[in-house]
Amino acid sequence: MNELLDQPVLFTIFGSTGDLTFRKLIPAFYNLEKRGLLGKNFKLLCIGRRAWTNEEYLKVVRPWVEKNSRFGFNEEIFQRLSSHIEYVKLEMTVLDDYKKLADYDRFENNQSSTVNIYYLAVAPSYFSIIADNLKNSGQLDRCAIHRVVLEKPFGEDLAHARSLNEVLCKAFGESNVYRIDHYLGKEMIQNIMTLRFANRVFEGIWNNRFIDNIQITASEIVGVENRGTYYDNAGALKDMVQNHLFQILSFIAMEKPSSLKAEDIRQRQSDVLENLRGLGSDEIKDNIVFGQYTASTDGSSLAYRQEENVASDSSTETFIALKLEVDSPRWKGVPFYIKTGKRLDERSTYVSIQFKPQATDLFVSQEPQQDLLIIKIQPDEGVYFRFNAKKPGTMNDISTVFMNFCQSCIYENRINTPEAYERLLLEAVKGDDTLFASWHQVELTWHYAESINLYRKKLALPIVDYAAGSDGPDASSELLKRDGREWIRNEITEESYTEN
Amino acid sequence: MNELLDQPVLFTIFGSTGDLTFRKLIPAFYNLEKRGLLGKNFKLLCIGRRAWTNEEYLKVVRPWVEKNSRFGFNEEIFQRLSSHIEYVKLEMTVLDDYKKLADYDRFENNQSSTVNIYYLAVAPSYFSIIADNLKNSGQLDRCAIHRVVLEKPFGEDLAHARSLNEVLCKAFGESNVYRIDHYLGKEMIQNIMTLRFANRVFEGIWNNRFIDNIQITASEIVGVENRGTYYDNAGALKDMVQNHLFQILSFIAMEKPSSLKAEDIRQRQSDVLENLRGLGSDEIKDNIVFGQYTASTDGSSLAYRQEENVASDSSTETFIALKLEVDSPRWKGVPFYIKTGKRLDERSTYVSIQFKPQATDLFVSQEPQQDLLIIKIQPDEGVYFRFNAKKPGTMNDISTVFMNFCQSCIYENRINTPEAYERLLLEAVKGDDTLFASWHQVELTWHYAESINLYRKKLALPIVDYAAGSDGPDASSELLKRDGREWIRNEITEESYTEN
């Protein structure tokens, strides 16, 4: 890490007066400062339209740091962070404004080339404009490393994503485009590869000889909140499945990469995404359930169509359940079920790996339950394994018990676990793009999302209701019941653990 | 269980004024009474030489129940237990005395035949005498089910064990001889079969494709205490390995039985014991370490040879470590290491299953540790699995973490977990001999013990010193070091768990 501390870094945030910057980016930089990872040659250029002074900007961000830093607030560290920050007024559509950026790329005693990072924390419609202006202003021709970091959505549809990508590629080169999928910054998602490939036991059982089915669940309690405009245009498929859940799926299902270099990992992830089956026009009516929440039964929360900035006749899905397969020798016959939705009855993202039933006639009084491995991604982080043991005091009665590894319990209040943005900002500075989505992945997943939505329209697939606060539409349970299966719930939460 | 409650049972304890009866048997019967498992037709005949009245006997046993019952003392339950108890003065060597036993086998409204159980809680030298006298007095000719329950040691050597067995067989028939191995009453030993055969995952990895080596460890902190006479004659091999640890080994290594009936399980256990390798005359000098404790380095505890009733030039082993193999396709190439000793630095009995190293070049900065499954038998009961996970906040650094299932934590202070004797007495009454050692097993294990001791003498194998309170002799570590391995410690105790 030490080489980082000396390297001059100019980190520019476009949209520095926006929600994302306040809630996530500035607190993440504060955490990095606290950890001593921001060197003396680190500059944070905060770009906005408002005519603020540095002091005014710092006054605005201060309460966000106080509220959102995982380390709690410390004046001295905030002062150190402040010394890196420079607020700059800039009109994003005005080419001339970009010329002043070069002035900030000046570091004392600078021998090495500067790393220039442009973080686009702005509405997607500005992505091309900023990229073009950076390029046309000559800013990117300066002798420095130039990287761009973007938030999703990467375009509004596949065609737009492609044209956007072309602009970015022309300006920065593909290897310098860092596409944030903040799920990739989550510890337990990164942990999937270690679990799988560093453990003889997990590697040995990670196949269709042992595994019956795999479920990826991301359920939320909240509704669309203040994001109605964006969400009503996107829906659960684009908002969650296409990016986050397909990313998780690719880590769970991929073959072993030849190294842990980003390019090798991405290759294996792409192999998975290229081999998804079950999403064709004649299949999706059996394999996908689209749902939308209605008001909760107790009337405490609104129906989706009543939410702010949502069309009153909206057919946008706030829930989606899919069944698909990965066409490979490892996964032949193993269905992958994916489920995500808003206004469900729990907040939890987790992967459930259910093992095949144990064919045995030994335990006559009772069938053993299928073994179950759950990887908990958020809010709790950890792994647990549910298995069968003898019920104490009986001869052969079986009880289902579990072994638990609660990462978020062990690392006191997560203080030692960096949050997703903290990880991702650091990796962007270091120039490691392992935790970012590749264009190929984005293109592949756009392709699936578009074709699903196309078939959905063509076949006029229904959208089914579910009450806010429920566990989703009945059709979602039916999807698994047809296969003789059930959705698996994450039974062992941090609370239930600490209560033990 | 209900049929038990009505069946007339006459449970006779020979040696009812002895340590075992006071410490284990009477408290176990109290617990069974508390659980409502002693029916109205249950009689407990307590035989002793002393001329006590019932009241006197009850007065003596009361404090033992107060002290040793897992449920705590309750007057009403003790009164109920007392109503089952009858103290009888009997001279064990006097044939005529046995004739009065028949008088107690009288139950009101008795339609079914009585179950007569004779528990020999006496010195082994009385086993034959009692069996002969029971037979010759005509007691066993009465129309009833007659079972005999014995404590180890089953004879003083193989020849003596054989002749003893013949006496018992002649008197009772082999199927009515219940040989107590109190380790078989331990919950986690019984659990081994459920873990293995009710779980797809465990069954699938329970072989030499996954497992590198298996270690069975029973370490004690105490010395020989007041059992010097017995122990100096027996040694660790006969006291622990031959019975308890070979039993554990047979459950860990056996093939799947065709049912959970005692005879099928015993068959599979015997298969293992018949196929032990590495204990021949030319092998044991490399595969066995005999140790004897010297005084502790701080002088707080005596050397073995200074203990009461121990010969001052004793060459009895208080520690033994063995390496052996089980000759079967499942275990080809997997060494089993066994270690037990007194005056070691921890009290813990557990089985360590160490998996093969994960051959991977992915994690360049660090080799992953070998996965490890530990079955904790006592004092803590449970299972834990140690594996590799990503160290939070790093890209690919590995940390070793564990998932823990602590059975003895969950079942509040073990109140719900019957103790070994409670289990065993109940099974003897029910007539299920699954948890008792078969003659064939006893004979096989005597055979190994005798031949080891024979070779030991013939080859004049040394006995090595270890300081009381240490982790055993250096030669024991060497035994594994030669194979590139180490003894595995039980790191996750109940204490460390609850501290988390």
Side-chain angles (χ1 to χ4, degrees):
Chain A
M1 210 71 89
N2 285 337
E3 72 275 20
L4 251 190
L5 291 174
D6 298 325
Q7 192 172 26
V9 174
L10 182 64
F11 198 111
T12 307
I13 303 178
F14 287 90
S16 74
T17 59
D19 194 52
L20 176 72
T21 303
F22 291 152
R23 283 200 306 126
K24 297 290 184 181
L25 304 185
I26 297 288
F29 279 117
Y30 173 90
N31 294 339
L32 291 171
E33 176 63 52
K34 155 86 172 131
R35 290 165 66 197
L37 296 177
L38 301 186
K40 61 182 191 318
N41 288 331
F42 181 87
K43 261 189 230 170
L44 187 56
L45 221 56
C46 294
I47 306 271
R49 284 180 202 163
R50 301 180 204 193
W52 277 345
T53 64
N54 237 16
E55 286 63 41
E56 283 168 324
Y57 184 69
L58 290 172
K59 212 169 150 185
V60 173
V61 298
R62 174 191 281 268
W64 289 99
V65 174
E66 286 173 355
K67 193 175 150 202
N68 288 355
S69 161
R70 66 187 173 108
F71 292 114
F73 188 83
N74 173 293
E75 186 59 38
E76 192 195 327
I77 292 163
F78 185 73
Q79 288 310 327
R80 287 214 308 264
L81 174 68
S82 303
S83 71
H84 297 294
I85 293 180
E86 209 141 352
Y87 180 80
V88 178
K89 182 182 177 312
L90 178 149
E91 198 61 55
M92 289 186 283
T93 51
V94 177
L95 178 65
D96 269 0
D97 270 18
Y98 288 74
K99 291 183 177 157
K100 60 181 152 188
L101 290 176
D103 297 342
Y104 295 95
D105 190 3
R106 296 221 174 92
F107 294 87
E108 279 173 36
N109 308 320
N110 184 12
Q111 309 286 330
S112 55
S113 56
T114 319
V115 177
N116 279 225
I117 300 177
Y118 309 93
Y119 197 111
L120 309 189
V122 295
S125 50
Y126 284 99
F127 289 175
S128 302
I129 296 167
I130 295 171
D132 278 338
N133 282 337
L134 281 170
K135 189 172 164 58
N136 296 334
S137 65
Q139 167 75 1
L140 303 181
D141 297 332
R142 289 186 303 99
C143 181
I145 296 162
H146 298 278
R147 292 181 196 129
V148 65
V149 184
L150 303 83
E151 288 285 322
K152 70 168 182 178
F154 311 120
E156 282 151 29
D157 54 28
L158 178 54
H160 181 241
R162 278 187 178 137
S163 77
L164 172 60
N165 191 56
E166 214 168 293
V167 172
L168 294 169
C169 257
K170 245 185 226 158
F172 296 93
E174 159 69 12
S175 69
N176 288 313
V177 182
Y178 285 60
R179 295 169 197 85
I180 291 256
D181 182 333
H182 71 269
Y183 263 56
L184 289 179
K186 292 190 187 296
E187 283 293 340
M188 286 309 294
I189 292 181
Q190 299 166 36
N191 214 334
I192 291 170
M193 281 202 299
T194 312
L195 289 177
R196 289 188 54 191
F197 301 123
N199 293 292
R200 176 83 177 198
V201 168
F202 291 136
E203 188 179 51
I205 63 179
W206 219 265
N207 55 58
N208 59 5
R209 291 192 309 282
F210 284 88
I211 294 175
D212 180 83
N213 74 96
I214 293 180
Q215 303 180 14
I216 300 171
T217 306
S219 87
E220 295 180 80
I221 289 175
V222 297
V224 291
E225 297 180 294
N226 55 359
R227 295 164 68 233
T229 312
Y230 155 76
Y231 196 88
D232 203 36
N233 187 40
L237 177 63
K238 287 194 205 167
D239 184 52
M240 287 295 293
V241 178
Q242 169 185 353
N243 33 52
H244 306 322
L245 303 188
F246 275 3
Q247 283 282 5
I248 296 177
L249 170 68
S250 68
F251 280 114
I252 291 285
M254 73 181 179
E255 296 302 310
K256 187 168 160 180
S258 54
S259 84
L260 293 179
K261 285 190 198 127
E263 65 208 66
D264 291 325
I265 295 171
R266 287 172 170 189
Q267 180 57 51
R268 291 286 167 260
Q269 290 184 279
S270 295
D271 292 346
V272 171
L273 296 173
E274 280 167 11
N275 289 301
L276 300 187
R277 300 289 179 266
L279 304 174
S281 68
D282 47 346
E283 301 161 310
I284 77 161
K285 75 171 192 318
D286 294 326
N287 290 347
I288 304 192
V289 172
F290 298 95
Q292 191 187 70
Y293 61 82
T294 57
S296 61
T297 47
D298 65 0
S300 67
S301 71
L302 296 175
Y304 176 67
R305 292 181 186 184
Q306 297 168 310
E307 301 267 17
E308 204 183 346
N309 297 323
V310 166
S312 61
D313 62 347
S314 172
S315 63
T316 297
E317 79 285 358
T318 60
F319 175 98
I320 187 167
L322 298 85
K323 173 185 172 182
L324 48 83
E325 298 214 5
V326 176
D327 186 11
S328 73
R330 182 189 292 272
W331 297 120
K332 197 175 164 56
V334 178
F336 287 75
Y337 301 100
I338 293 177
K339 179 171 87 168
T340 184
K342 291 193 174 289
R343 285 268 187 255
L344 294 175
D345 58 354
E346 60 170 355
R347 177 183 169 227
S348 191
T349 302
Y350 55 102
V351 179
S352 314
I353 294 159
Q354 191 172 30
F355 294 90
K356 287 183 186 279
Q358 169 70 325
T360 178
D361 47 5
L362 279 189
F363 303 92
V364 284
S365 60
Q366 225 171 335
E367 287 268 303
Q369 297 269 311
Q370 287 166 258
D371 290 340
L372 182 66
L373 183 75
I374 291 208
I375 301 173
K376 294 177 289 181
I377 293 167
Q378 70 171 19
D380 302 337
E381 297 166 5
V383 180
Y384 72 84
F385 180 58
R386 200 188 71 187
F387 59 105
N388 300 290
K390 194 182 73 67
K391 203 172 192 165
T394 71
M395 205 63 185
N396 295 309
D397 287 0
I398 290 172
S399 65
T400 308
V401 299
F402 66 90
M403 291 191 276
N404 194 28
F405 161 57
C406 177
Q407 178 164 286
S408 40
C409 303
I410 289 169
Y411 294 91
E412 322 138 29
N413 302 317
R414 294 191 191 74
I415 270 188
N416 288 322
T417 309
E419 282 148 11
Y421 275 97
E422 198 176 325
R423 295 295 319 275
L424 295 169
L425 295 178
L426 190 62
E427 298 305 322
V429 172
K430 286 160 72 181
D432 188 331
D433 57 356
T434 313
L435 300 183
F436 297 83
S438 74
W439 166 244
H440 188 55
Q441 285 166 19
V442 170
E443 195 175 25
L444 274 170
T445 54
W446 258 119
H447 166 74
Y448 287 114
E450 291 228 320
S451 76
I452 288 171
N453 277 333
L454 190 76
Y455 300 143
R456 179 182 168 194
K457 255 180 219 144
K458 214 164 101 184
L459 302 167
L461 295 183
I463 185 150
V464 292
D465 288 350
Y466 64 100
S470 72
D471 65 349
D474 294 341
S476 158
S477 312
E478 282 302 321
L479 181 69
L480 271 73
K481 206 181 272 175
R482 279 203 317 262
D483 298 344
R485 300 195 177 96
E486 284 181 357
W487 288 108
I488 288 161
R489 291 182 72 90
N490 173 16
E491 294 162 341
I492 314 302
T493 60
E494 191 172 323
E495 273 166 28
S496 68
Y497 179 80
T498 48
E499 271 166 15
N500 255 341
Chain B
M1 210 70 89
N2 286 335
E3 70 276 22
L4 250 190
L5 291 175
D6 298 326
Q7 192 172 26
V9 174
L10 182 62
F11 198 111
T12 306
I13 301 178
F14 287 90
S16 73
T17 58
D19 194 51
L20 177 71
T21 302
F22 292 151
R23 283 199 307 126
K24 297 290 185 181
L25 304 185
I26 297 289
F29 279 117
Y30 173 90
N31 293 340
L32 291 171
E33 176 62 52
K34 156 86 175 133
R35 291 165 67 196
L37 296 177
L38 300 186
K40 62 183 192 315
N41 288 331
F42 180 87
K43 263 189 228 169
L44 187 56
L45 222 56
C46 294
I47 306 270
R49 284 181 202 163
R50 303 179 202 194
W52 277 345
T53 64
N54 238 17
E55 286 63 40
E56 283 168 325
Y57 184 68
L58 291 171
K59 211 167 149 188
V60 174
V61 297
R62 173 190 281 268
W64 290 97
V65 173
E66 286 173 354
K67 192 176 151 201
N68 287 355
S69 161
R70 66 186 172 109
F71 293 115
F73 188 80
N74 173 294
E75 186 60 38
E76 192 195 326
I77 292 161
F78 185 73
Q79 288 308 325
R80 288 214 308 266
L81 174 69
S82 303
S83 71
H84 296 294
I85 293 180
E86 210 141 352
Y87 180 81
V88 178
K89 181 181 178 315
L90 181 150
E91 198 60 55
M92 289 186 285
T93 51
V94 177
L95 179 65
D96 270 358
D97 270 17
Y98 287 75
K99 293 185 175 152
K100 59 182 153 186
L101 290 178
D103 298 341
Y104 295 94
D105 190 2
R106 295 219 175 95
F107 293 87
E108 279 173 38
N109 307 321
N110 185 11
Q111 308 287 328
S112 55
S113 57
T114 317
V115 176
N116 280 224
I117 299 177
Y118 309 94
Y119 197 111
L120 310 189
V122 294
S125 50
Y126 284 99
F127 290 174
S128 302
I129 295 166
I130 294 172
D132 278 338
N133 282 337
L134 281 170
K135 188 171 163 60
N136 297 334
S137 66
Q139 167 75 359
L140 303 182
D141 298 331
R142 289 186 302 101
C143 181
I145 296 163
H146 298 278
R147 292 183 195 128
V148 64
V149 184
L150 303 85
E151 288 285 323
K152 68 166 186 180
F154 311 121
E156 281 152 31
D157 54 30
L158 179 55
H160 182 241
R162 277 186 178 139
S163 77
L164 171 60
N165 190 57
E166 213 168 293
V167 173
L168 293 168
C169 258
K170 247 186 223 156
F172 295 92
E174 160 68 12
S175 69
N176 289 313
V177 182
Y178 285 59
R179 296 169 196 85
I180 292 256
D181 182 333
H182 71 269
Y183 262 55
L184 288 178
K186 292 189 187 296
E187 283 292 340
M188 287 308 295
I189 292 181
Q190 298 166 37
N191 214 335
I192 292 170
M193 281 203 297
T194 312
L195 288 177
R196 289 189 54 191
F197 300 124
N199 294 293
R200 176 84 178 198
V201 168
F202 291 136
E203 189 179 51
I205 62 179
W206 218 265
N207 54 59
N208 59 5
R209 291 192 308 283
F210 283 88
I211 294 175
D212 180 82
N213 73 95
I214 293 179
Q215 303 181 14
I216 299 171
T217 307
S219 87
E220 294 180 81
I221 288 175
V222 296
V224 289
E225 296 178 295
N226 56 1
R227 295 163 68 234
T229 312
Y230 155 75
Y231 196 89
D232 203 36
N233 188 38
L237 177 64
K238 288 195 204 168
D239 185 52
M240 287 295 293
V241 178
Q242 169 185 354
N243 33 53
H244 307 322
L245 304 189
F246 275 2
Q247 283 284 3
I248 296 176
L249 170 68
S250 68
F251 280 114
I252 291 286
M254 73 179 177
E255 296 301 311
K256 188 169 160 177
S258 55
S259 83
L260 292 180
K261 285 191 197 125
E263 65 208 67
D264 291 327
I265 295 171
R266 287 172 170 189
Q267 181 55 52
R268 290 287 165 261
Q269 290 185 279
S270 295
D271 292 345
V272 172
L273 296 174
E274 280 167 11
N275 289 300
L276 300 185
R277 300 289 179 268
L279 305 175
S281 68
D282 47 348
E283 301 161 310
I284 76 160
K285 75 173 192 319
D286 294 326
N287 291 345
I288 304 192
V289 173
F290 299 94
Q292 191 187 71
Y293 62 82
T294 57
S296 60
T297 47
D298 65 1
S300 65
S301 70
L302 296 176
Y304 176 68
R305 292 182 186 183
Q306 297 167 311
E307 301 266 17
E308 204 183 344
N309 296 323
V310 166
S312 60
D313 62 346
S314 172
S315 63
T316 298
E317 78 284 0
T318 60
F319 175 99
I320 186 167
L322 298 86
K323 173 186 173 183
L324 49 83
E325 298 215 7
V326 176
D327 186 9
S328 73
R330 181 189 292 274
W331 298 120
K332 196 174 164 58
V334 179
F336 288 73
Y337 301 100
I338 292 177
K339 179 172 88 169
T340 184
K342 291 193 175 292
R343 284 267 188 258
L344 294 175
D345 57 355
E346 62 170 354
R347 177 182 170 227
S348 191
T349 304
Y350 55 99
V351 180
S352 315
I353 294 160
Q354 192 173 31
F355 295 90
K356 286 183 188 277
Q358 170 69 327
T360 178
D361 47 6
L362 280 187
F363 303 93
V364 284
S365 60
Q366 228 170 334
E367 287 269 303
Q369 297 270 309
Q370 286 166 257
D371 290 340
L372 181 66
L373 183 75
I374 291 208
I375 301 174
K376 295 177 288 182
I377 292 167
Q378 70 170 19
D380 302 338
E381 297 167 5
V383 179
Y384 72 84
F385 180 59
R386 199 188 71 187
F387 60 104
N388 300 288
K390 194 182 73 67
K391 202 174 194 167
T394 70
M395 205 65 187
N396 295 309
D397 286 1
I398 289 172
S399 65
T400 307
V401 299
F402 66 90
M403 293 192 276
N404 194 28
F405 161 57
C406 178
Q407 176 163 287
S408 40
C409 303
I410 288 168
Y411 294 91
E412 322 138 30
N413 300 319
R414 296 191 190 74
I415 271 186
N416 288 321
T417 308
E419 283 149 10
Y421 274 98
E422 200 176 324
R423 294 295 320 276
L424 294 169
L425 295 178
L426 190 62
E427 299 304 323
V429 172
K430 286 160 72 180
D432 187 331
D433 58 356
T434 314
L435 301 183
F436 298 83
S438 74
W439 167 243
H440 188 55
Q441 284 165 20
V442 171
E443 196 175 24
L444 274 170
T445 54
W446 259 120
H447 167 74
Y448 286 115
E450 291 228 319
S451 75
I452 288 170
N453 277 334
L454 190 76
Y455 299 143
R456 180 183 168 194
K457 255 179 219 143
K458 214 164 101 184
L459 302 167
L461 295 183
I463 185 150
V464 291
D465 287 349
Y466 64 100
S470 72
D471 64 349
D474 294 342
S476 158
S477 312
E478 282 300 321
L479 182 69
L480 272 73
K481 206 180 273 176
R482 278 203 316 262
D483 298 344
R485 300 194 177 95
E486 283 182 358
W487 288 108
I488 288 161
R489 290 183 72 90
N490 173 18
E491 294 162 341
I492 314 301
T493 60
E494 191 172 323
E495 271 167 30
S496 68
Y497 179 80
T498 47
E499 272 166 17
N500 255 338

